[in-house]
């Protein structure tokens, strides 16, 4: 939807700029190709194809690539949880299945509960110049450990350290996986 809006705005702008010219180098097809290229540069994980219909242009996102990206992210998070459990004391993951379940629960907690916590603690976050977000991350990890079997965080301090280490480990693994997938 956002890409269609950008395309329409770009197309309208070019139509107004080229009003006096006979030939418009910015035809809708060229604008759509440019938008598709920009989308691929911006979001490398989702290839974008354009299909020309008689009246409209449609953008189709590859569902298979999106699903592979989702599965890779899920596996990377689970492996990161296992590595973090070996580094941080009080951060316990019993097995790989528990790590997979915990990765899903962490994703849900980050999508649903964490934004609420951020809004509720906004004055404290502003007062501490953003450092309180580390505590919010630790609380989110602790809540996820309460909700998922086989994943235990023994207090707020292991949750805080675990969230920092988990972010670093997941970032490194994501970087490596992204380089392997691109080559």
């Amino acid at each position: 939807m956002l890409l269609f809006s950008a395309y329409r705005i770009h197309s309208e702008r070019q139509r107004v700029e080229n009003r006096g010219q006979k030939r418009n180098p910015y035809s809708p097809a060229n604008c759509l190709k440019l938008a598709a290229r920009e989308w691929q540069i911006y979001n490398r994980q989702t290839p974008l194809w354009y299909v020309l219909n008689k009246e409209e242009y449609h953008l189709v996102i590859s569902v298979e690539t999106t699903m592979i990206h989702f599965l890779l992210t899920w596996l990377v998070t689970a492996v990161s949880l296992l590595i973090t459990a070996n580094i941080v004391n009080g951060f316990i993951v019993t097995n790989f299945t528990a790590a997979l379940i915990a990765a899903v629960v962490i994703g849900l907690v980050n999508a649903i509960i964490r934004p609420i916590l951020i809004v509720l603690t906004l004055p404290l976050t502003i007062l501490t110049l953003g450092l309180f977000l580390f505590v919010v991350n630790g609380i989110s990890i602790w809540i996820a450990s309460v909700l998922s079997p086989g994943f235990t965080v023994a207090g707020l301090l292991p949750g805080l350290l675990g969230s920092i280490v988990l972010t670093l480990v997941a970032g490194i693994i994501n970087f490596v996986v992204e380089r392997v997938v691109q080559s």
Side-chain angles (χ1 to χ4, degrees):
M1 189 59 112
L2 181 64
L3 192 56
F4 274 123
S5 300
Y7 158 71
R8 287 182 184 148
I9 291 169
H10 182 68
S11 180
E12 281 297 317
R13 187 181 311 142
Q14 294 305 325
R15 193 174 301 133
V16 169
E17 288 176 4
N18 297 324
R19 214 173 257 174
Q21 298 176 359
K22 292 181 180 177
R23 189 175 143 246
N24 183 4
Y26 296 100
S27 66
N30 288 340
C31 289
L32 191 61
K33 288 177 186 178
L34 179 66
R37 272 191 240 121
E38 288 174 0
W39 176 266
Q40 283 179 334
I41 290 169
Y42 177 73
N43 186 358
R44 292 186 186 137
Q45 293 84 17
T46 308
L48 194 62
W49 292 280
Y50 44 93
V51 179
L52 178 60
N53 207 356
K54 289 185 179 178
E55 288 93 21
E56 297 178 2
Y57 294 92
H58 298 281
L59 297 176
V60 179
I61 298 173
S62 169
V63 175
E64 298 86 14
T65 306
T66 305
M67 184 58 73
I68 289 171
H69 182 300
F70 169 75
L71 291 174
L72 275 175
T73 304
W74 185 28
L75 289 174
V76 163
T77 306
V79 170
S80 300
L81 276 169
L82 290 172
I83 293 171
T84 303
N86 288 327
I87 295 173
V88 178
N89 291 332
F91 200 89
I92 302 163
V93 180
T94 55
N95 55 22
F96 189 67
T97 306
L100 287 172
I101 294 169
V104 170
V105 172
I106 288 172
L108 290 173
V109 166
N110 283 339
I112 298 168
I113 297 173
R114 187 170 177 264
I116 296 169
L117 288 174
I118 289 173
V119 169
L120 290 176
T121 61
L122 190 59
L124 194 55
T125 303
I126 292 171
L127 190 64
T128 61
L129 302 175
L131 292 176
F132 195 74
L133 286 176
F134 288 117
V135 176
V136 170
N137 288 341
I139 292 170
S140 298
I141 294 289
W142 179 75
I143 290 172
S145 73
V146 169
L147 297 175
S148 60
F151 173 50
T152 308
V153 176
L156 185 60
L157 186 61
L160 179 65
L161 293 174
S163 69
I164 294 170
V165 172
L166 182 65
T167 302
L168 292 173
V169 169
I172 292 168
I173 293 175
N174 274 326
F175 178 76
V176 170
V177 167
E178 198 172 294
R179 293 293 176 196
V180 169
V181 168
Q182 284 180 356
S183 61

